[in-house]
Amino acid sequence: ELLPALPDTLTILNAGSNLIEIIYELPNNIEGIDLSSNLLNNITCHHLRNLQEMTLENNKLREIPKLPFGLKTLCIQQNEILELRFTDIPFSVKYLDVSDNYITEVPRMLIDRIPTFKYSTNFGNNNYDNFRYTMLKEVLKVNGKIEG
């Protein structure tokens, strides 16, 4: 499915569970996006200066899209993301959930920077040695840096 053209005045987009595969253009004034439970493998959003919250859980994303600087909340769990780099996440992000992806390593500086960080390896990680990541998760839980 293709997401139809949206009005420029739209500030909140809630289009979860619609089998959307492609999004060509989002309105520049948008502040919140919920596209959970679709079939997206890519989204262009770095130009959305007003975007504060974005939920992209349960899609087909293999990498974290380029994000706008003002983004505060990113929920991107249950995708097919392989890598989480420090530079993927803007400094403005205060809540990040990357649980249930194929991520095998989390940059320590990213964890230290984000007040609420969620990461679990319960989904799809059977091909990896999870021991050291499980240990990292437990250490971070003890130190109050991670939920999950």
Side-chain angles (χ1 to χ4, degrees):
E1 296 283 327
L2 173 66
L3 186 66
L6 301 169
D8 290 335
T9 56
L10 186 70
T11 57
I12 303 293
L13 172 63
N14 187 349
S17 302
N18 280 295
L19 302 175
I20 297 168
E21 296 178 69
I22 300 172
I23 297 176
Y24 284 116
E25 194 171 326
L26 291 165
N28 287 331
N29 291 326
I30 203 153
E31 298 171 6
I33 295 173
D34 182 347
L35 287 165
S36 56
S37 299
N38 281 294
L39 301 171
L40 295 171
N41 62 24
N42 191 13
I43 184 169
T44 302
C45 60
H46 65 277
H47 64 287
L48 302 173
R49 292 187 204 125
N50 295 331
L51 188 61
Q52 301 284 311
E53 297 182 23
M54 186 161 58
T55 301
L56 298 171
E57 73 179 81
N58 195 22
N59 274 284
K60 303 287 182 193
L61 298 169
R62 295 189 59 83
E63 62 185 23
I64 294 176
K66 187 173 180 187
L67 301 168
F69 178 73
L71 188 69
K72 297 201 181 324
T73 300
L74 178 61
C75 300
I76 199 162
Q77 67 270 31
Q78 295 177 334
N79 277 279
E80 300 171 7
I81 297 170
L82 300 170
E83 185 177 14
L84 177 63
R85 295 178 301 267
F86 180 74
T87 55
D88 287 339
I89 309 300
F91 279 89
S92 58
V93 171
K94 303 298 180 208
Y95 180 95
L96 175 63
D97 190 343
V98 293
S99 299
D100 300 331
N101 278 286
Y102 296 99
I103 297 168
T104 59
E105 192 167 345
V106 178
R108 178 66 196 202
M109 291 188 320
L110 188 60
I111 296 166
D112 290 341
R113 189 180 81 200
I114 298 175
T116 304
F117 183 92
K118 291 187 176 186
Y119 169 73
S120 70
T121 58
N122 299 328
F123 176 76
N125 286 320
N126 294 333
N127 296 331
Y128 301 107
D129 174 12
N130 287 326
F131 178 74
R132 72 178 176 168
Y133 307 110
T134 302
M135 292 303 294
L136 171 65
K137 180 181 169 191
E138 294 307 314
V139 167
L140 295 174
K141 267 186 181 178
V142 169
N143 292 325
K145 288 287 188 181
I146 196 167
E147 294 181 21

